[in-house]
Every structure is written in C-alpha cells, then in structure tokens.
Amino acid sequence: MILTVLGSGSCELRRGRSSPAYHLQAGPHGILIDLGQGALRGMLQAGHDPADVDAILLSHQHPDHLADMVPFLFALNYAPNMAAKTGLQLIAHPDVLNVLQKIEDVFGHWLTPSPEVLHETAARHGGIYSVGGVTIRAAKAAHLPGSLAFRLEYGGRSLVYLGDSQATPELVELSRDADLLIANCAATDQAPKPGHLGPTASGSLAARAGVKALLLSHLYSVVDPDAAAEAASAVFRGPVWAAADLMRLDLGSGTPRVLAAAN
C-alpha cells in the first residue's frame, strides 16, 4: 500500500497545506480518504488520475473534510476523462450523505451522477465494508455524532485514519497493531482543542495500540511540526512523522517508510 498525503492542513487557508485528504493505492484499488479543499489539485500534482479512484471515504461533514466533493461530483458528470467512470463507491455516515444530498439539491442535476456511476454506502459504527480486496472497518470517532474513523486492510497491511477525534478506548482497539496510524494533531499540548488530539495524546494512543508508525496530520498553524513529532516520540517509540502535502509513504513491507518527504 502506498499513501499520498494530499492535504495535511486544516480549515486555515495556507499556501503550504491543503485541507485533510489522502490517497491510498492498495494494489489496483485507488481510495480517497476525506476530500478537503485543495485535495484534487494535490491529487493531480501527485500524478494520480481521478478517473482511477474506486472509493471515497468521508470521516464527517465539516467542510475542510469534504469541500472538494463538489468539483469531484461535477467532474463525474461532465469532465471527458471521467465520463466512462462506473462503480465508484462513496462510504460515509448517513449524516454526511444527508449533507451531500442537500448540496446536490442546491446545484440540481449538475452534481447528481447516476447510480451506475456512484454507489453510496451508509456506514455505521462497527460496520465492515469492502472495496475490491480492501477491507474497511468503521468505528465511532469522538468529534461529531456521525464522525467515523476507518481501518483499511489489504495484503496483510493496515492503515488507520482517525479523522477528527479525541482518544477513546474504541479507537485504541481499531488501531491495534496497525502498520500506520494517521492522527489529527490539530492542537498543541499546551492548548488542547476539543474533538482533536495533540502531539502527546497522539503518541500515547499509538503506543497503547501498538502501531508500527505514526503520522501527525491536520496541522494548524499553531502546531510546530518538528516539535509535535518530538513530543509524540517521547511516548511512542516507533517512527513518527509530521505530514506534509504530497508526502508519500510505503506500507508495503515491514515498518512503513517515507518515499517522498514533502511538496
């Protein structure tokens, strides 16, 4: 599995960090995990073709996690390179699907692909889903009532994406022995942010779950990336990285490793 960070930032408008979004290549399957503003531009810069996406997972309905769904849906209907796309899966909590439906209601048919093109799956806490050979497990995240965290497994490797959440016992279990944990390090230890993690809390969750490596992402401007990685490393002994846009990591064998460090 190869992970590309399309957006490592937040709702802040920053030159160097787009909003949260990730592309996972699991064998022949291309999966987008969240789709905040700037994600599609990052995807193209990374060399990924949107027409090759097989599934989109959305953690919750905040705009910085799904804003690029609007241009993506528009492209599904009208962009020539997307015209032949069929069988795309959208996996999200019903609360998220309801928000997207309201957005489609505003724009009408412009954002309404046919069921043959886009299949929506209403994901629930504890649900198990599949995209080809990729198994996806959903768990409740401590953020919004419908927030989800996801565990993706393929070829004996595993990735856990917490979305936005505080640490909970359920998320520790979801992350158990994962190859890579993506944590929403949106706060500093000195100034906690409700519904999110800070560096030490991220490292502690990773240590409790026994993951192999930790990626700190969803970084606000108040979070110093190097200091955050150092703080997380004080409680978690595996590799810790602060995410950067267009960073690529290989989860293919052994401990995950960085293939490309930054944009």
Side-chain angles (χ1 to χ4, degrees), residues 1-261:
M1 295 198 294
I2 302 292
L3 177 75
T4 303
V5 179
L6 305 179
S8 60
S10 64
C11 63
E12 296 174 324
L13 303 180
R14 302 171 66 185
R15 176 176 296 193
R17 295 188 187 276
S18 294
S19 295
Y22 308 85
H23 179 277
L24 181 68
Q25 192 68 42
H29 310 294
I31 299 174
L32 291 173
I33 310 171
D34 275 345
L35 207 62
Q37 57 265 34
L40 295 179
R41 173 61 60 185
M43 188 176 179
L44 295 171
Q45 290 176 327
H48 297 300
D49 187 346
D52 293 334
V53 172
D54 297 303
I56 300 173
L57 314 182
L58 298 177
S59 64
H60 64 290
Q61 64 263 39
H62 279 158
D64 59 330
H65 291 259
L66 57 69
D68 264 15
M69 282 297 298
V70 172
F72 191 91
L73 291 171
F74 194 36
L76 276 179
N77 274 348
Y78 298 103
N81 67 318
M82 304 284 280
K85 184 68 182 173
T86 59
L88 175 67
Q89 295 188 57
L90 173 60
I91 300 174
H93 190 273
D95 289 357
V96 179
L97 298 180
N98 182 52
V99 168
L100 291 176
Q101 182 59 60
K102 291 179 178 178
I103 294 173
E104 290 181 23
D105 290 344
V106 171
F107 286 98
H109 67 278
W110 304 105
L111 295 188
T112 308
S114 71
E116 293 77 20
V117 173
L118 181 68
H119 174 72
E120 295 183 352
T121 296
R124 304 283 184 175
H125 310 146
I128 301 176
Y129 312 95
S130 63
V131 176
V134 183
T135 299
I136 300 165
R137 303 175 187 275
K140 182 177 178 59
H143 189 60
L144 299 178
S147 292
L148 294 174
F150 297 105
R151 181 183 180 111
L152 296 88
E153 301 173 341
Y154 178 81
R157 301 296 165 189
S158 55
L159 164 73
V160 172
Y161 175 62
L162 299 181
D164 285 2
S165 183
Q166 297 175 201
T168 67
E170 184 174 6
L171 294 184
V172 171
E173 289 308 311
L174 181 74
S175 306
R176 183 72 63 193
D177 299 325
D179 290 286
L180 180 68
L181 172 65
I182 306 175
N184 63 97
C185 187
T188 64
D189 290 335
Q190 295 73 29
K193 187 176 180 64
H196 299 80
L197 295 169
T200 298
S202 298
S204 177
L205 195 160
R208 290 164 60 197
V211 305
K212 290 183 180 178
L214 172 63
L215 182 66
L216 304 177
S217 195
H218 201 344
L219 302 171
Y220 277 75
S221 56
V222 297
V223 180
D224 178 274
D226 294 334
E230 183 177 356
S233 294
V235 292
F236 173 64
R237 301 306 180 189
V240 178
W241 302 288
D245 288 17
L246 303 188
M247 182 179 191
R248 295 174 66 236
L249 296 98
D250 182 5
L251 283 66
S253 60
T255 302
R257 61 190 180 93
V258 175
L259 296 177

